Amino acid sequence: MAFENLSEKLNNVFKKLKGKGRLSEQDVKDAMREVRLALLEADVSYKVVKDFVREVSEKATGAEVLESLSPAQMVVKIVNESLCALMGSETQKLNIGSENPSVCMLVGLQGAGKTTNGAKLAALMRKTQNKRPLLVACDVYRPAAIEQLETVGRQLDIPVFQMGKSDPVEIARAAIDHAKRHGNDLVFLDTAGRLHIDETLMDELKNIKAAVRPAEILLVVDAMTGQDAVNAAKAFDDALGITGVMLTKLDGDARGGAALSVKAVTGKPIKFSGIGEKLDAIEVFHPDRMASRILGMGDVLTFIEKAEAALDEKKAMEMAEKLRSNRFTLVDYLEQLESIKGMGSLEELAGMIPGMDPKALGSGSINEKALAHTEAIIRSMTPAERENPAILNSSRKKRIAAGCGLNVVDVNRLIKQYEAMQQLTRALSGKNAKKLQRMMRGKGGFGGMGGLRI
């Protein structure tokens, strides 16, 4: 998970500060030394770290901070604001030009994920901006690059334009004409990459840029390559004048230094982040939300957005009514489980909830395996058993356990969780029912999350 190590180290620093009633300049100096080491270990650029620590130190040693009632909280606030500024402060959108179609040129080194993440971005623009995207295969060198783009295009139901191994510049020109004839208003050019930056690659990209005048030149960089990603970003920016960055594999890098360095080094904003292998695993990059996640403050806004996208409001209202009237069955329990699974990995979701430690997932409080077991148990029941778990006697439980390859103790654990949910329902009935409905309507409830303990 991105920034996991950095987040843990920074929170340890802040815990030490909170343990002091008053802060001295030496306290702040010691804390900043630890912050500096944490950032360097997270693979953040040395110059970026140096400037960041100097700026935070100057603000944190001011009289207003040291003499405040809660100086430790003021330091956290300053670090949060500085982290946000480091990553660009404001959320940036994809540049949509006045010409129709608008062209987005995807560039980057080979292996960064241009093909797949470019297609993900096209799907995101169709979903959120009602665009009609066209994917264009301009990588004529990498084996199977065209086939890969066509495959992901079919999976996402997005048209792909290709002319085989022709000249990439001519392919780009022909794709624009094709888009005009077929009503595609947004064109994504999947260009070639190399294992390293060379003059031939840059010349080709410059020629494509001159031919089609893209509104956006989006550099796709692999976050797991650390400082190499930042160096590549600077080289591409110097040669092409990129307009933004997409960080891929951000979910697989526990350090995350590239995200904290690339904006400071290139001056160009991070606009999107790839956060997994699934074809919907892409997000708009929000600097303020990412800073909040790094400091362990959660990311409630993104959590709610994911909930709204994955959960049906009408069903959530119906679920709230069932809870209120004590008609919540294991069928409903399973529906909630499936809805929450559609919001993404539980570790990612846990990191968005303030005060919740995603590392708890590794200790068994919540994990994907436990959810799979819950689903398997419920699916092994008969319709009557799901509707009325009270009829589950020992022989039925043995049959269910055998049917899903688990033990009776696992079935009993699920029933206890379900009964606890019913008790909660009764406790929240009456005057608290409306509060429960608001909770269900806003977040869809959490009844299906197995052994979740917050």
Side-chain angles (χ1 to χ4, degrees), residues 180-371:
K180 289 177 180 177
R181 293 195 304 272
H182 293 82
N184 299 108
D185 54 8
L186 188 55
V187 174
F188 290 90
L189 304 180
D190 180 31
T191 67
R194 299 282 192 280
L195 293 175
H196 58 278
I197 295 166
D198 61 27
E199 190 175 341
T200 304
L201 168 65
M202 289 305 181
D203 285 344
E204 181 179 291
L205 296 177
K206 288 176 184 177
N207 291 336
I208 294 175
K209 176 184 176 181
V212 300
R213 301 191 307 275
E216 179 91 73
I217 301 179
L218 200 60
L219 176 68
V220 182
V221 294
D222 180 347
M224 295 184 71
T225 58
Q227 282 308 297
D228 287 341
V230 180
N231 296 335
K234 190 175 187 313
F236 273 95
D237 186 43
D238 290 344
L240 292 170
I242 63 172
T243 55
V245 175
M246 181 196 295
L247 281 176
T248 64
K249 306 175 188 176
L250 196 56
D251 59 312
D253 183 18
R255 296 170 303 172
L260 293 176
S261 303
V262 70
K263 170 64 171 64
V265 171
T266 66
K268 303 302 165 62
I270 303 169
K271 295 193 173 186
F272 301 95
S273 55
I275 51 170
E277 296 181 1
K278 293 182 180 179
L279 292 179
D280 61 351
I282 186 170
E283 288 181 350
V284 174
F285 188 85
H286 300 279
D288 54 342
R289 301 185 193 183
M290 187 58 73
S292 182
R293 286 194 214 182
I294 292 171
L295 297 180
M297 300 175 184
D299 182 0
V300 176
L301 287 175
T302 299
F303 184 91
I304 291 172
E305 286 172 3
K306 283 181 173 288
E308 288 175 343
L311 304 173
D312 181 272
E313 184 175 355
K314 184 179 179 183
K315 281 190 176 180
M317 293 284 286
E318 291 173 355
M319 198 75 74
E321 175 59 28
K322 285 186 176 184
L323 282 166
R324 189 187 65 79
S325 57
N326 205 20
R327 292 184 290 110
F328 187 77
T329 70
L330 282 171
V331 177
D332 303 317
Y333 200 74
L334 181 58
E335 280 187 13
Q336 280 199 304
L337 171 62
E338 291 172 340
S339 294
I340 290 167
K341 282 171 64 179
M343 290 171 62
S345 75
L346 288 178
E347 184 176 0
E348 180 192 351
L349 295 177
M352 296 177 190
I353 301 173
M356 187 168 184
D357 180 10
K359 281 198 163 185
L361 306 182
S363 65
S365 294
I366 322 169
N367 57 59
E368 302 285 351
K369 189 175 180 181
L371 289 181

Side-chain angles (χ1 to χ4, degrees), residues 71-131:
Q73 291 180 4
M74 291 287 285
V75 172
V76 173
K77 181 175 181 290
I78 290 168
V79 172
N80 180 50
E81 291 172 349
S82 298
L83 277 175
C84 182
L86 190 62
M87 292 184 285
S89 295
E90 296 181 358
T91 302
Q92 299 286 331
K93 296 181 180 179
L94 189 76
N95 290 335
I96 305 293
S98 57
E99 294 185 19
N100 193 5
S102 184
V103 179
C104 175
M105 186 173 165
L106 299 162
V107 301
L109 293 178
Q110 191 170 307
K114 288 190 302 297
T115 302
T116 302
N117 285 280
K120 290 180 185 179
L121 179 56
L124 182 67
M125 291 298 103
R126 180 179 60 188
K127 180 180 178 180
T128 60
Q129 304 292 326
N130 294 317
K131 294 295 181 181

Side-chain angles (χ1 to χ4, degrees), residues 416-431:
K416 284 183 179 179
Q417 291 167 358
Y418 168 74
E419 289 173 348
M421 185 66 177
Q422 286 191 314
Q423 290 175 5
L424 175 64
T425 303
R426 284 191 285 271
L428 289 172
S429 61
K431 65 179 182 180

